[in-house]
Amino acid sequence: MTALERKPHVITIAGAGSARVPALVGTLVNYKERFPLSKIIFYDIDRERMGLMEAYDRLVLKCFYPECEVVFTTDEDEAYSQTDFVFCQMRVGKTAMRSLDEKIPLRYGLVGQETCGPGGFAYGMRSLGAMKHMVEKVRSYSKDTWILNYTNPAAIVALGLDKMFPDDKRILNLCDQPYSLMKSFAKILGVPQDILRARYFGLNHFGWFTALKDTEGKDYFDQLRTYLRDHDFKPFNAEQRAKSWLDTYVRVNKYMKYFDEYIPTTYLQYYMFPEEIVEESDPHYTRADESRDTREKEVFEACAKAEGKDSMDRADMLVNSVFGNLMVEVAESIAYDLNHEFIVLVRNEGIIDNFEEDAIVEVAGTIGKDGAKGYPFGPIGPFYKGLMQGQYAYELLTVEAFMEQDYTKALQALTLNRTVVDPSKAKAVLDDLMEANKEYWYLK
Ligand code: G6P
Ligand code: MN
């Protein structure tokens, strides 16, 4: 199929007040031949926040995508009633709640992270409520609309949506971290990213790379493992990353000093080295503050420059978004049934053959018109299986706690989480999180 034959689509950006959206818009412009659009609906419940970027989003589209209709709305019916793809990156409770997710656990000497540990639990409970509502709303209009979800914690959201909508084949949960790590591997190896093919297994934010080859079959995995044994691991875009992110990469090196069979995702460290991470954390200034003071500030400032303008330089368009590229490439692969390779989140069903059938696993696979398919992986060793089983039980109990409003299940979930372990700490942090989240969720 040539680009000319590609039928244009309508997309809805749900959570258009996210500071990640302007770079997504730039990516949509850059991909317009590959994934042409006839209309973009920007939707957020917070008009003011979405408004901080509206002039910029409109200007970019007016200058570089004049054929694409643009709508900004706070009305969910307008957002969802006629759309082909929902690109969802909502953050329920915004940065203020992220900040509490990170700071409350630190009061008890526990890891304060938005997707891992107690913070991820609290965020998961918030996200599940809003995501359930969104899926119901979208489906009240159409069973065909694709829901591409980037809302975190993807592990909890993906499992929860699978439990609540088990027959829905058009919800796809995405995480850009494996994709981002592959960009970093490519830079280290000095090869283009698009020739690299990885094998990977795990749960979201809890997995390992097990192989890396190029399209010709040349194997780079040992070279990379050897490199990571005695060189600091740096993200491909290290100069744009804040210190806290760089630290997470270097801790991959630390993990590999103990276990160098596979290369872990950066997120595994929260479960491996929780004490060291807590010790290095500032309980009054966490990643939520840092991202607000850096990325968010820069994006809002760049967007403010568009106010009152009616032309712009293409060089001033925000791009370079791993998240944006992933979302658009996934949508393209679905829309035109390309079956491109990605690292996907799918129901296990035998992909990892000695692991729970119903778990949502993260593995290499393809994406096409029927959604994501994982490549069969085979069995995993006892170390990985043991770690994943504990983490999966945590995920499942979290989802069940949400669906049944069950306090005991929540307490069991947190006790199982490797960042917590002690039930008395689990209870203390759960009670504080429940109080802080009372507008969003409640357990009996
Ligand atoms: C990666 C992860 C996402 C996470 C993001 C946080 O991209 O895959 O799940 O949301 O990092 O980034 P931030 O810069 O907001 O801390
Ligand atoms: Mn992620």
Side-chain angles (χ1 to χ4, degrees):
M1 184 169 12
T2 66
L4 288 176
E5 289 163 339
R6 291 189 169 188
K7 165 186 156 302
H9 289 88
V10 177
I11 70 165
T12 299
I13 299 181
S18 163
R20 294 178 188 275
V21 166
L24 169 64
V25 172
T27 307
L28 289 165
V29 168
N30 285 342
Y31 276 71
K32 74 160 133 172
E33 304 287 319
R34 288 174 56 174
F35 184 63
L37 299 175
S38 55
K39 181 172 175 181
I40 305 179
I41 306 166
F42 292 83
Y43 166 62
D44 204 291
I45 54 173
D46 184 340
R47 191 72 183 82
E48 209 180 308
R49 198 181 149 108
M50 179 164 64
L52 296 173
M53 293 163 280
E54 178 171 349
Y56 169 88
D57 294 335
R58 284 189 186 278
L59 184 61
V60 168
L61 295 168
K62 178 179 158 234
C63 297
F64 310 117
Y65 221 146
E67 66 277 29
C68 179
E69 188 186 338
V70 178
V71 172
F72 278 77
T73 184
T74 53
D75 175 29
E76 60 177 348
D77 293 293
E78 191 177 11
Y80 300 138
S81 58
Q82 279 181 326
T83 186
D84 300 316
F85 286 88
V86 177
F87 283 29
C88 176
Q89 64 285 296
M90 57 172 95
R91 183 185 282 284
V92 180
K94 293 176 272 192
T95 313
M97 287 309 291
R98 175 179 184 174
S99 170
L100 290 175
D101 293 341
E102 293 168 350
K103 292 188 175 83
I104 290 172
L106 286 169
R107 290 181 196 158
Y108 300 96
L110 300 171
V111 167
Q113 213 280 326
E114 61 157 353
T115 62
C116 303
F121 165 86
Y123 185 18
M125 298 287 279
R126 293 198 303 280
S127 295
L128 284 171
M131 291 298 294
K132 174 172 186 274
H133 174 84
M134 186 267 277
V135 173
E136 284 167 351
K137 196 75 196 177
V138 172
R139 290 291 171 252
S140 74
Y141 287 107
S142 166
K143 62 177 185 6
D144 295 330
T145 300
W146 278 94
I147 298 172
L148 305 188
N149 176 53
Y150 184 77
T151 289
N152 260 330
I156 303 294
V157 171
L159 186 65
L161 294 181
D162 193 49
K163 296 289 173 213
M164 292 187 279
F165 307 96
D167 302 322
D168 198 315
K169 304 275 184 261
R170 292 197 166 206
I171 304 174
L172 210 65
N173 295 280
L174 300 165
C175 172
D176 60 357
Q177 192 60 9
Y179 189 85
S180 186
L181 287 166
M182 283 180 68
K183 276 188 182 297
S184 305
F185 297 159
K187 185 163 180 193
I188 290 169
L189 296 166
V191 299
Q193 191 218 339
D194 58 1
I195 65 159
L196 288 179
R197 297 287 175 269
R199 288 296 176 269
Y200 182 98
F201 77 96
L203 303 163
N204 176 242
H205 288 190
F206 200 99
W208 297 264
F209 286 90
T210 63
L212 193 69
K213 292 186 179 166
D214 68 14
T215 35
E216 317 263 87
K218 179 168 179 212
D219 197 332
Y220 291 94
F221 199 61
D222 277 340
Q223 187 187 333
L224 187 61
R225 281 193 313 163
T226 311
Y227 176 92
L228 291 175
R229 266 198 291 267
D230 42 39
H231 296 81
D232 281 359
F233 185 24
K234 289 200 185 76
F236 71 95
N237 54 355
E239 56 300 327
Q240 294 159 28
R241 295 288 190 109
K243 172 160 188 316
S244 67
W245 262 113
L246 300 179
D247 292 344
T248 68
Y249 277 72
V250 173
R251 245 181 244 110
V252 167
N253 298 112
K254 176 167 174 174
Y255 169 93
M256 290 188 71
K257 295 220 179 342
Y258 299 98
F259 311 110
D260 70 353
E261 187 180 15
Y262 302 145
I263 301 172
T265 172
T266 49
Y267 283 93
L268 198 73
Q269 62 191 264
Y270 298 106
Y271 305 95
M272 290 289 140
F273 310 114
E275 287 175 18
E276 169 184 319
I277 288 170
V278 168
E279 216 154 278
E280 285 177 12
S281 303
D282 177 346
H284 306 295
Y285 194 85
T286 57
R287 177 66 196 150
D289 306 296
E290 189 184 54
S291 72
R292 187 198 51 224
D293 295 346
T294 55
R295 182 183 56 227
E296 235 177 71
K297 188 165 167 275
E298 286 154 22
V299 168
F300 291 159
E301 280 171 9
C303 289
K305 292 195 190 128
E307 303 275 353
K309 295 233 172 80
D310 51 22
S311 69
M312 82 184 284
D313 233 29
R314 199 163 169 137
D316 293 333
M317 191 169 80
L318 299 171
V319 282
N320 277 335
S321 153
V322 179
F323 141 78
N325 283 324
L326 177 68
M327 292 291 259
V328 181
E329 286 173 18
V330 164
E332 178 202 23
S333 205
I334 292 172
Y336 312 108
D337 197 24
L338 303 177
N339 295 301
H340 285 167
E341 194 170 292
F342 294 91
I343 293 186
V344 297
L345 286 166
V346 284
R347 204 189 287 157
N348 186 31
E349 293 180 325
I351 292 173
I352 300 174
D353 56 25
N354 58 346
F355 196 67
E356 266 73 350
E357 291 277 302
D358 290 342
I360 302 293
V361 292
E362 193 163 71
V363 289
T366 56
I367 294 181
K369 69 174 179 14
D370 300 320
K373 283 196 191 70
Y375 298 140
F377 189 87
I380 54 176
F383 177 56
Y384 307 98
K385 187 172 179 216
L387 286 169
M388 279 172 61
Q389 254 162 350
Q391 180 70 2
Y392 174 60
Y394 150 79
E395 292 175 358
L396 184 61
L397 285 162
T398 299
V399 167
E400 289 181 359
F402 168 81
M403 289 168 70
E404 299 158 26
Q405 293 189 306
D406 187 322
Y407 182 91
T408 305
K409 287 191 172 177
L411 192 57
Q412 290 176 337
L414 287 176
T415 305
L416 271 169
N417 196 290
R418 277 181 65 94
T419 69
V420 184
V421 177
D422 178 337
S424 54
K425 285 192 183 178
K427 181 167 188 340
V429 77
L430 175 58
D431 290 347
D432 268 18
L433 288 168
M434 194 153 83
E435 176 61 27
N437 281 271
K438 58 177 185 265
E439 252 182 74
Y440 303 98
W441 52 266
Y442 174 75
L443 302 167
K444 293 186 273 229

